[in-house]
Amino acid sequence: MACLSTSGRRGLYVVVGTRNQLTQKQLGQLFWQQKIGRSFSSSAAVAAALLGKTTANNISTLLPQRNFHGVGVVMQRNTAITAGQDYFANLHTNTACNSSSSTTTTTTAPTTINSSNINNNNNKSSNSTIITAQNCRQYSSVHTQQPAGPVREIQIDPYIILDDDLKYFYDDVRDLLRQGTSQTELDKIASYYFDGQGKALRPMVTMLMARAINYHLNKESSNLLHKQRFIALFSEMVHSASLVHDDVIDQSDIRRGKPSVNALWNHKKVTMAGDYILSIASIMIARLKSDDVTIVLSQILTDLVQGEFMQLGSKETENERFAHYLTKTYRKTASLIANALKATAVIAEADENIAELAFQYGRNVGLAFQLVDDMLDFVSTAETMGKPTAADLKLGLATAPVLFACEKYPELNPMIMRRFSEPGDVERAFELVHKSHGLEQTRFLAKKHCIEAIRLAQELTESPYQKGLQVVADLVINRLK
Amino acid sequence: MWKRVATETGSIWITKGKYQLRLRSFTPAATFTFPQQPSIRTSTSTSAAKPTPPKHDWNRAVSEAERIVGYPTSFLSLRWLLSDEIANVALHLRKLVGSNHPLLKTAKHLLYNGKNTMQAWGLIVLLISKAAGHAPSVPDMEQDKSAGVLHSQRALAEVTEMIRISHLVHNSLVNLQPSSEAGKDTATYEDMAFGNKIGLLTGDYLLGHSSAELANLRNQEVVELISSAVRDFSESQFVGERDEQNNPLPYKPGTEPPKTNGTATTESIDFDVNDVMIPMNISKVLGNPEKEWECRNILNAGSLLGKACQGALKLAGQSEDMQRQAYLFGKHLSLAWQACLDAEPFQSATLPIDTTFSLVSAPVLYHLEYDPSLYEEIEKGQVSVENIDYAKIHKAISAGPGLEKTKVLQRKHTTAAMEVLEKFPPTDARTALENIILAMQDL
């Protein structure tokens, strides 16, 4: 079962917390005051705090998780620090589920900024925050309690080591989208999902791979990195464009915990907004002036659509069905990550082996990500996911857990064929999946892909980013949303 | 002869004859529940029923032009035929037959109404390519010797058509927001939702493949240019007031246009030559019938044709100036064409039953300037343009100067396109383009 073990997941909240621009700026200032050196090439020190408005949100989303998973002691790390290679992080635990205000904090590092002054400025929240940094020649030392899973002594939070790349990520996307149109409504719809509330998984992995490859090739120029960042922007923009179009197709009312675009705007305009995001993304990529990158990235678009078409049909026999499912999953999810990663290698003029390695790493992580996603659709709660659960079944889609379950319960076969259209089908299938080992098997398959991804990452020269790539593979398996 | 030419990109549909025939027989004289842009809606019958044969025959002009550039648009049709996705779309579209989804009408018009939708866009791109020739530096391998165009230009012609069709298809979705009439109609909701799904995916498929084809041209300036045309298409659907189904309504006469940058201009506005990312500042011209019409239609059509012509010359290594001329040619040609389409419903004294026209077509906009009181009737269409008495508007406009002014507008753009052509060396391709323009004038 999913566990609350990886620091990365918490790091996610941390980053979400810092997306608040005002907060970022204040934190940045504080850092300058404390004279903690930040430079572009060495990943900067970052503090993250759950401040202002985001506090309430995050706490409310954390609580249901705890109850659902029945984890008695939940750790909530409100702060984390990396100082490039000088990394030390400190976390504090929050033992009481319902008393979110009683956050215990521990400080061990010499440079400590007690955030109470920040809080005083922002709100009267009693949720105190700690920012620590220490120069101790060490990549990582975040120790977390781990209810399950392998013990990882070395932990790197990819979101934190990439803070330089990801900090103004969504602002940059929104700027691009604003520049491209004179129609305010179009701008509004197009930038709706770039609100910083997403996981930003794709750009994060893309930048990790970019930096890992640059380190591997010994080509760490900021110019190259800048270009690779555009590829990361592209990955997120294409992803959002596909979400926008998916919303029109699936008619779902909620996404990421807020009304989806199709609930708010004219569907014809929403469709156009999706096209618009794509066109801006391709203008941006064309400006990198690399024929090969454009070719690699254009593959993503054809794969995405083909994946969608595959989802419309279903296969008769069980063997075919699973292969169909895997191909579909590759095209719909993994291709985007795989090709974006490959593009970062191509633009760095890496040889074919490295490009292939990047591609395969992305493919494996992408497949694992989607497999876990399909699994979470059965076990997670609507509040955690920000969208309704068992959504796939309701859409008539048979994902891995169902396909595995149908080995044990053949009665699922006719339901799959009629796309769970009869009354009671969805509930019955849901029940059978839980009774079978479908979820464990799905997890096992995802795990296998992650192990392969980790193996591939290890082929690159060791660096914080290369380590980060390995952490991401774990993070994907252990995520909760 | 025309059919074969007209449906270059659509020939897959023809080849899949069984399905085609069904499509036609099951949707007889469909009512216009969800009126589309006029470009895909005007009927063929009017032009066919002309009393005297025109001096310049359109069909002949096009078929001659087609001969000049060899086969129309490469093997697009064959590739489509072999593609799983398109077979899939055809299969799913069949399920839609009998429903009222506007997607069916779009498909039908793409196939049977080639003349009026200017199916020949790819052809125009090829002709201008041949008329301009290419730089001697282009290697022999890249050339299609017999036809006189480059393989890359042929690919660009394909992309142009794919993008245009993708836009038309995306535009024939139905707004199913819960607040809209279509969203409340539970009887048809399922059909409409399914049609939307197919339409959206088909459009995305075309868009995805165009971007793959574009990438293979290995010319990033062209990718940038054509991507910006896709952007313009999306922008065009946001201009001005819209009803529930996103049908455009004209700008209310007498109200001050929203001034964003400076004052309203009477100058023609166009895209920034140096930066394709900068959008057209259309708000400057809202309320000025001619300029507003021009901008709407540049976004809606002229941008793609113009930029495709420009891109074709870019691929051939032509000078910036020639590229600019090609852009202007494409733009003026599509505007002239649009004016011609806009005028068509007003050529006859009465409006045929169940026929509608665009409320932002040139005659309507001109008439609103001449007599703003017409807006009272148009205002009824704020929720749905179906609530408008089209016959009444038709009658009013027929009595006013709208049609005459539209014809002047058409001549203006025809002349401009012709003038651009004079800068090209005299070739058979140039003559073919001239013949097409002349034929269009007589339609």
Side-chain angles (χ1 to χ4, degrees):
Chain A
M1 268 300 288
C3 55
L4 289 158
S5 63
T6 56
S7 69
R9 193 193 59 73
R10 265 176 240 105
L12 191 149
Y13 280 110
V14 168
V15 173
V16 167
T18 52
R19 295 282 159 78
N20 184 327
Q21 258 202 56
L22 202 98
T23 315
Q24 283 173 354
K25 278 175 190 159
Q26 267 184 343
L27 287 172
Q29 276 175 355
L30 283 163
F31 267 99
W32 284 115
Q33 283 159 12
Q34 298 296 322
K35 297 202 164 74
I36 295 168
R38 317 176 73 235
S39 67
F40 187 72
S41 54
S42 78
S43 183
V46 172
L50 297 166
L51 287 178
K53 284 183 226 159
T54 49
T55 313
N57 278 342
N58 285 330
I59 285 172
S60 67
T61 50
L62 274 170
L63 287 174
Q65 277 175 31
R66 295 174 192 154
N67 297 337
F68 181 78
H69 293 286
V71 181
V73 179
V74 180
M75 301 185 357
Q76 181 195 347
R77 199 185 71 203
N78 280 347
T79 60
I81 287 286
T82 51
Q85 297 180 330
D86 317 322
Y87 180 137
F88 186 86
N90 174 7
L91 45 111
H92 54 224
T93 49
N94 182 355
T95 39
C97 292
N98 44 3
S99 61
S100 54
S101 55
S102 67
T103 313
T104 14
T105 56
T106 26
T107 36
T108 49
T111 331
T112 303
I113 305 160
N114 194 321
S115 69
S116 55
N117 40 1
I118 304 174
N119 278 334
N120 287 341
N121 293 339
N122 278 337
N123 59 356
K124 296 290 176 198
S125 162
S126 58
N127 194 15
S128 62
T129 315
I130 282 285
I131 298 157
T132 45
Q134 189 183 39
N135 294 346
C136 54
R137 279 286 186 207
Q138 186 178 1
Y139 290 141
S140 158
S141 66
V142 181
H143 296 276
T144 60
Q145 279 185 19
Q146 297 188 333
V151 178
R152 284 176 298 275
E153 286 187 28
I154 298 172
Q155 278 286 4
I156 276 191
D157 190 323
Y159 284 103
I160 290 171
I161 59 173
L162 289 176
D163 187 69
D164 264 347
D165 302 322
L166 300 179
K167 197 197 258 170
Y168 297 113
F169 194 82
Y170 286 99
D171 300 273
D172 290 350
V173 175
R174 282 199 302 270
D175 280 348
L176 268 171
L177 292 173
R178 198 173 310 119
Q179 277 167 32
T181 179
S182 59
Q183 301 297 320
T184 42
E185 194 181 9
L186 175 56
D187 176 39
K188 229 180 187 169
I189 305 176
S191 45
Y192 185 69
Y193 284 134
F194 297 104
D195 55 357
Q197 299 299 310
K199 289 184 283 278
L201 174 91
R202 289 155 189 86
M204 184 266 283
V205 183
T206 310
M207 285 321 293
L208 267 185
M209 183 54 91
R211 281 179 177 269
I213 285 176
N214 295 357
Y215 189 89
H216 181 84
L217 300 171
N218 216 355
K219 281 187 181 173
E220 293 179 279
S221 80
S222 60
N223 184 30
L224 175 60
L225 201 63
H226 190 64
K227 286 184 175 177
Q228 286 163 328
R229 192 161 176 274
F230 278 117
I231 296 173
L233 287 169
F234 180 85
S235 71
E236 190 65 9
M237 288 171 83
V238 169
H239 174 60
S240 284
S242 79
L243 291 186
V244 167
H245 278 187
D246 273 357
D247 281 347
V248 177
I249 292 180
D250 297 341
Q251 307 270 329
S252 168
D253 295 331
I254 290 174
R255 184 182 290 281
R256 291 183 184 165
K258 64 178 186 177
S260 55
V261 277
N262 60 304
L264 296 177
W265 286 286
N266 189 318
H267 294 183
K268 295 174 89 169
K269 286 186 171 175
V270 170
T271 309
M272 287 301 152
D275 293 356
Y276 171 74
I277 300 174
L278 272 188
S279 67
I280 295 298
S282 21
I283 293 177
M284 180 184 75
I285 288 304
R287 290 186 170 180
L288 296 181
K289 301 278 173 217
S290 164
D291 296 348
D292 292 317
V293 165
T294 309
I295 290 173
V296 169
L297 292 178
S298 71
Q299 182 66 39
I300 294 174
L301 302 182
T302 40
D303 279 342
L304 266 178
V305 189
Q306 285 186 335
E308 284 289 344
F309 271 115
M310 287 181 80
Q311 194 159 301
L312 287 179
S314 53
K315 289 283 178 233
E316 302 285 323
T317 68
E318 284 172 48
N319 281 344
E320 268 186 337
R321 216 184 273 151
F322 210 86
H324 188 263
Y325 166 78
L326 284 179
T327 316
K328 183 203 85 182
T329 305
Y330 166 72
R331 288 184 173 161
K332 278 197 69 182
T333 314
S335 169
L336 202 166
I337 304 178
N339 283 303
L341 264 52
K342 185 179 173 186
T344 64
V346 169
I347 205 156
E349 287 165 348
D351 62 37
E352 246 172 61
N353 293 333
I354 299 288
E356 181 63 17
L357 184 147
F359 178 88
Q360 289 299 344
Y361 172 87
R363 193 183 72 95
N364 280 295
V365 166
L367 287 175
F369 179 84
Q370 190 56 49
L371 284 165
V372 173
D373 208 52
D374 292 344
M375 189 188 77
L376 287 177
D377 197 37
F378 284 92
V379 298
S380 201
T381 58
E383 295 97 296
T384 319
M385 295 293 282
K387 60 184 176 189
T389 46
D392 290 335
L393 285 179
K394 286 171 198 155
L395 287 171
L397 304 175
T399 54
V402 184
L403 295 177
F404 279 126
C406 107
E407 282 166 19
K408 194 172 173 191
Y409 300 104
E411 56 174 302
L412 278 166
N413 274 317
M415 289 190 221
I416 295 173
M417 289 314 293
R418 59 176 184 252
R419 301 176 76 94
F420 311 104
S421 54
E422 282 181 19
D425 276 2
V426 172
E427 292 75 15
R428 181 81 186 126
F430 192 83
E431 192 190 325
L432 287 176
V433 166
H434 279 278
K435 268 165 82 181
S436 73
H437 293 293
L439 294 170
E440 286 87 336
Q441 281 168 299
T442 307
R443 196 182 165 77
F444 181 73
L445 186 60
K447 188 99 195 160
K448 269 175 68 181
H449 283 292
C450 280
I451 291 170
E452 175 64 7
I454 291 172
R455 190 191 66 74
L456 287 162
Q458 281 164 351
E459 286 181 26
L460 292 169
T461 314
E462 202 169 300
S463 66
Y465 311 108
Q466 179 249 20
K467 285 255 160 56
L469 286 172
Q470 299 174 46
V471 173
V472 164
D474 264 352
L475 199 148
V476 160
I477 280 284
N478 294 320
R479 73 205 178 92
L480 287 175
K481 71 171 244 185
Chain B
M1 187 64 199
W2 164 255
K3 277 233 154 103
R4 194 173 69 79
V5 182
T7 57
E8 299 135 354
T9 42
S11 52
I12 166 75
W13 308 99
I14 299 291
T15 348
K16 290 198 174 281
K18 267 183 282 178
Y19 144 73
Q20 263 319 310
L21 285 173
R22 263 163 218 246
L23 202 159
R24 193 176 215 183
S25 54
F26 273 79
T27 49
T31 50
F32 288 95
T33 323
F34 299 101
Q36 296 301 300
Q37 298 291 317
S39 52
I40 52 165
R41 192 157 34 88
T42 34
S43 68
T44 30
S45 54
T46 42
S47 55
K50 284 214 162 150
T52 47
K55 196 168 60 186
H56 299 278
D57 182 54
W58 171 264
N59 290 2
R60 225 182 68 206
V62 170
S63 62
E64 273 172 10
E66 197 217 341
R67 254 202 314 279
I68 289 169
V69 290
Y71 51 97
T73 30
S74 74
F75 291 108
L76 180 67
S77 47
L78 189 62
R79 261 187 284 138
W80 276 41
L81 194 65
L82 298 173
S83 124
D84 268 2
E85 284 72 32
I86 288 301
N88 226 329
V89 169
L91 205 73
H92 288 297
L93 260 185
R94 195 183 295 184
K95 293 186 202 156
L96 271 185
V97 171
S99 79
N100 223 347
H101 201 285
L103 185 61
L104 288 172
K105 216 169 296 140
T106 303
K108 203 166 83 180
H109 280 284
L110 279 174
L111 305 174
Y112 297 109
N113 246 2
K115 185 156 63 179
N116 284 330
T117 55
M118 190 134 178
Q119 192 67 228
W121 279 26
L123 183 63
I124 302 286
V125 175
L126 290 178
L127 284 171
I128 198 90
S129 302
K130 190 172 184 183
H134 46 77
S137 57
V138 178
D140 273 7
M141 277 290 285
E142 301 289 315
Q143 300 175 25
D144 180 348
K145 287 277 183 200
S146 60
V149 292
L150 306 179
H151 292 302
S152 55
Q153 290 173 324
R154 215 174 264 290
L156 183 63
E158 269 181 41
V159 167
T160 311
E161 298 227 330
M162 282 203 280
I163 290 179
R164 198 185 62 92
I165 296 174
S166 129
H167 179 70
L168 292 179
V169 169
H170 271 176
N171 226 358
S172 44
L173 262 53
V174 182
N175 178 24
L176 290 176
Q177 267 181 297
S179 58
S180 69
E181 280 305 310
K184 283 177 197 148
D185 190 345
T186 44
T188 60
Y189 188 87
E190 289 288 305
D191 282 348
M192 293 300 152
F194 184 74
N196 275 1
K197 189 175 190 169
I198 300 303
L200 198 128
L201 288 180
T202 310
D204 281 356
Y205 173 82
L206 292 167
L207 221 49
H209 274 257
S210 344
S211 86
E213 291 238 343
L214 267 181
N216 282 318
L217 296 179
R218 294 188 162 269
N219 185 322
Q220 300 310 311
E221 282 180 33
V222 174
V223 175
E224 211 181 313
L225 198 62
I226 303 298
S227 303
S228 77
V230 177
R231 185 268 320 267
D232 300 336
F233 266 155
S234 336
E235 266 213 301
S236 72
Q237 296 307 309
F238 286 82
V239 176
E241 300 258 310
R242 303 267 157 175
D243 79 342
E244 260 180 10
Q245 289 304 326
N246 212 31
N247 295 300
L249 298 171
Y251 198 76
K252 189 175 181 177
T255 43
E256 281 288 297
K259 280 167 193 156
T260 46
N261 295 344
T263 48
T265 177
T266 46
E267 310 243 315
S268 287
I269 62 169
D270 205 339
F271 297 105
D272 192 304
V273 204
N274 301 312
D275 188 355
V276 296
M277 186 81 171
I278 299 173
M280 181 180 279
N281 194 350
I282 193 166
S283 56
K284 274 188 176 179
V285 294
L286 288 176
N288 175 328
E290 189 178 326
K291 303 297 170 198
E292 180 182 334
W293 178 88
E294 198 177 305
C295 284
R296 278 180 191 270
N297 288 299
I298 289 177
L299 288 179
N300 209 14
S303 161
L304 180 65
L305 190 58
K307 287 172 177 175
C309 289
Q310 183 184 350
L313 266 65
K314 220 182 249 300
L315 287 171
Q318 293 286 0
S319 69
E320 289 282 331
D321 179 54
M322 284 298 271
Q323 289 179 29
R324 180 79 196 146
Q325 297 305 324
Y327 167 76
L328 291 175
F329 173 76
K331 182 183 94 172
H332 286 300
L333 181 64
S334 70
L335 288 177
W337 184 254
Q338 190 60 48
C340 169
L341 287 173
D342 282 3
E344 204 171 343
F346 302 94
Q347 301 281 17
S348 54
T350 52
L351 191 69
I353 290 166
D354 275 347
T355 313
T356 58
F357 44 84
S358 167
L359 295 172
V360 290
S361 63
V364 182
L365 293 179
Y366 278 127
H367 193 88
L368 276 174
E369 186 194 33
Y370 163 79
D371 176 17
S373 66
L374 187 72
Y375 193 77
E376 269 171 44
E377 182 61 34
I378 289 175
E379 221 165 6
K380 292 178 191 162
Q382 272 177 344
V383 171
S384 167
V385 290
E386 283 170 65
N387 301 333
I388 290 173
D389 184 351
Y390 278 93
K392 188 175 161 190
I393 297 183
H394 186 270
K395 203 177 160 195
I397 292 174
S398 299
L403 182 62
E404 223 18 74
K405 284 188 170 179
T406 304
K407 281 183 173 164
V408 174
L409 184 71
Q410 188 192 340
R411 266 195 297 282
K412 178 186 150 190
H413 289 290
T414 317
T415 318
M418 281 294 206
E419 274 168 12
V420 175
L421 272 187
E422 275 162 27
K423 295 178 181 156
F424 286 78
T427 54
D428 53 351
R430 193 185 100 171
T431 317
L433 282 172
E434 283 165 355
N435 284 340
I436 287 182
I437 295 173
L438 290 173
M440 194 172 74
Q441 219 164 13
D442 286 347
L443 277 179

